[in-house]
Amino acid sequence: NQAIYVAIRHRATDKFMMMIDDIVIDTGTVSPTNPVASFTYSPSNICQGAQVQFTNTSQNATSYSWSFPGGNPSTSTQTNPVVTFNTAGNINVTLIAFNGTISDTIIQQITVNPLPNVSASAIPTSICVGDSSILSASGANTYNWSNGMSGSQIIVSPATSTTYTVTGTNLNGCTNTATVSITVNASPTININ
C-alpha cells in the first residue's frame, strides 16, 4: 500500500536508441509486520484496592486485548487501561497484541499485596477533663495517629471528646486505618454551703 516510483535513465554516450520490454509492477498485498506484545505497570508495589496504570509498550500492533483476572475491569481493549485489584494475591495479566490477523501474547504475573487489618482501642474510653487514656493499635508494623504521634501505644489527654484515626503500615508498604473515640466528661461541680 505504498506509492512506487520507477525511473529509467539512458546513459549511453554513442547510441541514441534504448529499448525496454516486459516491465510488470505487481500491486499484491503486503504482509503485515509481526506484532511484539509487551507492557509495564505502575506502581510496581501494588496494594489491595489500588488503581494500577498499565502502559502498553508493544511494537507493530494495531489493536489489543487485555485480561485481568480479579481486576475491575477484568478485560479491556484500551491501549493503556487503568485497573483496580480488590483481592490480594498473584495475578496473571495477559496482553494480546494484534496486527491484522497476526498476534503475539505476553503473560506477566503481578503481586497484589494485602492491606493490614488495623484495629484501635482506648482504655478507658470515658475520662474526666485532665485525665488521660491509653490508645492502642494492632495489625500492622508501624502506626501514625491523627494527632501527630506515632507508635502502637500512645497516651492522650484531650480537653473535649475526640475521635482519633490511626494509619497502620505493613511490611509491603500497604496502609489501612482504624478509629477510636474518647468521651471527655466535665468535672463535677461541688457546692459548699
Side-chain angles (χ1 to χ4, degrees):
N1 297 325
Q2 295 179 354
I4 298 173
Y5 298 92
V6 177
I8 299 171
R9 183 174 179 186
H10 181 248
R11 300 188 64 157
T13 58
D14 59 348
K15 303 283 182 186
F16 296 102
M17 182 169 56
M18 177 177 77
M19 300 173 112
I20 300 173
D21 194 8
D22 298 334
I23 293 180
V24 176
I25 298 177
D26 186 356
T27 59
T29 59
V30 177
S31 298
T33 305
N34 290 347
V36 178
S38 65
F39 66 89
T40 61
Y41 57 91
S42 177
S44 57
N45 181 44
I46 303 170
C47 293
Q48 184 179 355
Q51 287 190 331
V52 181
Q53 172 69 66
F54 288 87
T55 302
N56 196 327
T57 55
S58 301
Q59 297 178 357
N60 308 320
T62 56
S63 62
Y64 310 96
S65 177
W66 295 86
S67 173
F68 310 102
N72 183 17
S74 60
T75 62
S76 178
T77 57
Q78 293 182 358
T79 304
N80 301 303
V82 176
V83 182
T84 301
F85 295 96
N86 292 315
T87 304
N90 294 323
I91 298 169
N92 289 325
V93 174
T94 303
L95 169 62
I96 305 173
F98 295 92
N99 187 346
T101 59
I102 301 174
S103 66
D104 186 44
T105 302
I106 184 173
I107 300 173
Q108 281 193 53
Q109 186 178 83
I110 65 171
T111 300
V112 178
N113 297 304
L115 301 180
N117 187 15
V118 179
S119 61
S121 62
I123 299 176
T125 58
S126 181
I127 61 174
C128 292
V129 174
D131 290 341
S132 298
S133 180
I134 299 173
L135 305 184
S136 300
S138 61
N141 297 92
T142 62
Y143 306 91
N144 291 299
W145 296 84
S146 54
N147 64 351
M149 299 178 76
S150 62
S152 61
Q153 199 169 72
I154 63 171
I155 298 174
V156 294
S157 300
T160 59
S161 297
T162 305
T163 298
Y164 296 90
T165 300
V166 61
T167 301
T169 305
N170 63 16
L171 293 177
N172 293 318
C174 299
T175 63
N176 209 348
T177 62
T179 59
V180 61
S181 296
I182 304 293
T183 301
V184 178
N185 303 299
S187 298
T189 303
I190 300 174
N191 292 325
I192 300 175
N193 292 330

